[in-house]
Amino acid sequence: MKYVDEFRDPEAARRLAAAIAARMSRPWTIMEICGGQTHAILKYGLEELLPIDLTLVHGPGCPVCVTPAGIIDAAVELASRRDVMLVSFGDMLRVPGSSRDLLSAKAAGGDVRLVYSPLDAVKLAQANPQKLIVFFAVGFETTAPANAAAVLAAKRLGLRNFFLLAAHRRVPPAMEAILSAPSCRVQAFLAAGHVCTVMGYREYLPIVETFRTPVVVTGFEPIDILMGILQAVELLEQGKASVANQYARVVTEKGNLQAQRLMAEVFEICDADWRGMGRIPASGLRLKPTYAAFDAEQVFSLKTSDKQERPTDCLAGKVLQGLIKPTDCPAFGAACRPETPLGAPMVSSEGACAAYFRYRQQKLQTANPKGD
């Protein structure tokens, strides 16, 4: 397969769904970790093709969704300072902190700018020497190398007004936390191809060995996902706990070593809070002491922990752990909608709740275009 149409071929999808059904002898529950995979599953109606006894649950692989309220509060605090320009990706603006979000801070006069790349934030620092530029760096192993490169670029340019508010998270510790919970119902994982492109799939070998849970690395197109599910079902049916690499056209065992070196140069592993999941050991990345001059948390003496989210009816934490589906939340589609989100998964373009709302609405409109 070379072209995207082949990865979206409806007939090939139906054949794979039939192969999955033929292979299953009992019910299974599989978690796709990445929000991008969740959106593809909903967008292409893959669940409707699959056997009713196969349950897909959605994981914590949306960087915006897992960014805790304490860090949002720190970003809002910085955005409220006259000497600071807070730079962020667009998804972060409407994610609620414990009392406000960045959009509210911007409406109140805060200097909040949107960028498409961390290097754009470096350019802003060059162009605005009178301002302190803070880049709100969220994301998993996929974005951490680019953020590390931005820090190195700022150092190379001798910039003293560029800082990182680092909120990076690592995927494998979150998988271990999910599997360690007594309420866990995940029997196999679909691992996110882009994370594995950077880190390789060898990171998952200890998880498989410890928890005896299969992991299949997949991409984001419908055929990729269905092939990944088929491989996961085959491993489960055979009672094999191993890592399978469905995304071999992109992912290798060792990953992108240059990107890993960038991360290792600038960041070190730390414990980290996850929205709705609590503190997870060794699940975060923070700036190394040698790069403390770029660390907004230290330079501005910020407190990013011990902050509580606003009490709401939102059950996003259970959604992120695969304990419920978005539609099981009583607030879904009622008090919680894209225009009035209670939780980050309804805000983010990768959020599971946003995927369910968007594609369910499209289905309803297709079935009843006049809205009768």
Side-chain angles (χ1 to χ4, degrees), residues 133-158:
I133 312 301
V134 180
F135 178 63
F136 193 5
V138 304
F140 297 107
E141 295 92 333
T142 46
T143 54
N147 295 337
V151 172
L152 295 174
K155 181 182 179 183
R156 193 165 51 248
L157 292 167

Side-chain angles (χ1 to χ4, degrees), residues 275-276 309 312-332 336 342-345 353:
R275 198 181 192 101
E309 295 175 28
T312 70
D313 296 328
C314 173
L315 300 180
K318 291 186 176 180
V319 173
L320 294 172
Q321 296 173 69
L323 299 175
I324 63 170
K325 297 262 193 177
T327 47
D328 296 329
C329 175
F332 177 84
C336 185
L342 295 181
C353 299

Side-chain angles (χ1 to χ4, degrees), residues 36 45 70 111 154 164-165 289 292 311 324 365:
D111 192 351
L164 218 63
L165 179 58
I324 63 170
Q365 288 173 2

Side-chain angles (χ1 to χ4, degrees), residues 159-367:
L159 297 177
R160 296 178 179 274
N161 65 331
F162 176 84
F163 310 95
L164 218 63
L165 179 58
H168 300 104
R169 297 293 180 263
R170 300 175 63 235
V171 172
M175 295 166 65
E176 294 176 1
I178 288 170
L179 291 172
S180 299
S183 54
C184 174
R185 58 176 180 153
V186 175
Q187 294 167 298
F189 285 105
L190 300 183
H194 51 7
V195 171
C196 299
T197 300
V198 174
M199 301 305 296
Y201 64 79
R202 62 183 175 185
E203 277 207 320
Y204 301 109
L205 297 174
I207 296 176
V208 167
E209 186 173 335
T210 302
F211 295 94
R212 307 301 300 167
T213 303
V215 175
V216 181
V217 180
T218 62
F220 300 87
E221 295 295 338
I223 300 303
D224 283 322
I225 293 171
L226 289 169
M227 289 176 71
I229 293 171
L230 177 59
Q231 284 183 282
V233 167
E234 287 178 339
L235 291 172
L236 289 166
E237 291 285 345
Q238 295 166 13
K240 289 184 177 178
S242 62
V243 178
N245 183 15
Q246 182 278 330
Y247 209 35
R249 68 182 186 277
V250 176
V251 173
T252 63
E253 180 180 357
K254 295 182 179 178
N256 185 328
L257 298 179
Q258 184 174 359
Q260 292 171 31
R261 280 194 288 271
L262 273 176
M263 291 169 59
E265 167 62 28
V266 175
F267 299 118
E268 63 183 11
I269 293 173
C270 63
D271 297 346
D273 295 326
W274 292 57
R275 198 181 192 101
M277 297 178 67
R279 173 150 289 211
I280 301 177
S283 66
L285 294 172
R286 64 187 176 198
L287 285 155
K288 283 183 169 179
T290 48
Y291 292 94
F294 299 95
D295 188 343
E297 195 168 339
Q298 294 190 45
V299 172
F300 296 95
S301 301
L302 301 171
K303 286 191 68 175
T304 59
S305 59
D306 301 327
K307 299 286 184 67
Q308 300 296 318
E309 295 175 28
R310 286 177 292 187
T312 70
D313 296 328
C314 173
L315 300 180
K318 291 186 176 180
V319 173
L320 294 172
Q321 296 173 69
L323 299 175
I324 63 170
K325 297 262 193 177
T327 47
D328 296 329
C329 175
F332 177 84
C336 185
R337 301 168 62 88
E339 62 271 22
T340 55
L342 295 181
M346 187 60 90
V347 178
S348 170
S349 60
E350 293 186 34
C353 299
Y356 271 74
F357 189 91
R358 176 180 179 182
Y359 296 112
R360 199 172 75 157
Q361 288 295 107
Q362 287 183 359
K363 190 184 298 182
L364 289 173
Q365 288 173 2
T366 302

